[in-house]
Amino acid sequence: MKTNSHWLLKTIKVVLALIWYVNIVLIIIAFSVLTLKFCTSDFTEFSNPVKYNSHLGIIKLPPLTPDAKDIIVTNDQGILKMKLKNTFGNIISAYFFLIALETLVTIIIYQLRKFFASLDDSTPFKYDNISRLKLIALCFALLTPLHILLGIDTAFILHSQVKGFDLFNMVWTESLTGLILGAVIYVMADVFNYGFNLQKENEEFV
């Protein structure tokens, strides 16, 4: 059992190390491509899924069994694409969201690596691990408001740059996954805090 857990822990550490280096490479590529685009062109491609009311192109499909009926395919969603001028505000916005996202992701991966590296010994209940888990929980929780802020920024661009955009609806992909993961990991931090205090009391008693 101990051998299996040791093998699992080692596998997790290897995977996290691989993710760490891949993330570093992706950060370099993302910043390089974004900077190159801003420096070599006055416009940058911008796209976002939108919904629109349309009765054109409705396709009716026959059901294979009596258990289904009225099968239709509608083209009420598409991708809005445009060339967006590289203004100072748009450049700052692009860099802000890229830096904010990569900062949170990098902190999460780094703290996870430190956390699992500390599990090699027989005393996982450490104050450092509690702090790491709380920081990871905070970073996951911040992903949700960052995603909402990105949606608001996208909506502002679409409404201010596209004439007649009132006929469309922006596809909002709000996700509470970050908040949920943050809450779960924070509960884990409380469990580790309880174990840490219990372990400390036992040591003082002995």
Side-chain angles (χ1 to χ4, degrees), residues 74-101:
T74 61
N75 59 340
D76 62 346
Q77 181 170 327
I79 303 296
L80 187 150
K81 296 182 179 180
M82 65 177 170
K83 300 285 187 178
L84 189 64
K85 188 173 179 61
N86 295 329
T87 62
F88 179 77
N90 290 334
I91 293 175
I92 293 299
S93 177
Y95 276 116
F96 168 76
F97 286 109
L98 179 58
I99 292 173
L101 177 62

Side-chain angles (χ1 to χ4, degrees), residues 57-75:
I58 296 178
I59 303 173
K60 293 185 177 181
L61 300 175
L64 291 175
T65 69
D67 297 333
K69 66 176 183 177
D70 299 334
I71 303 175
I72 61 173
V73 179
T74 61
N75 59 340

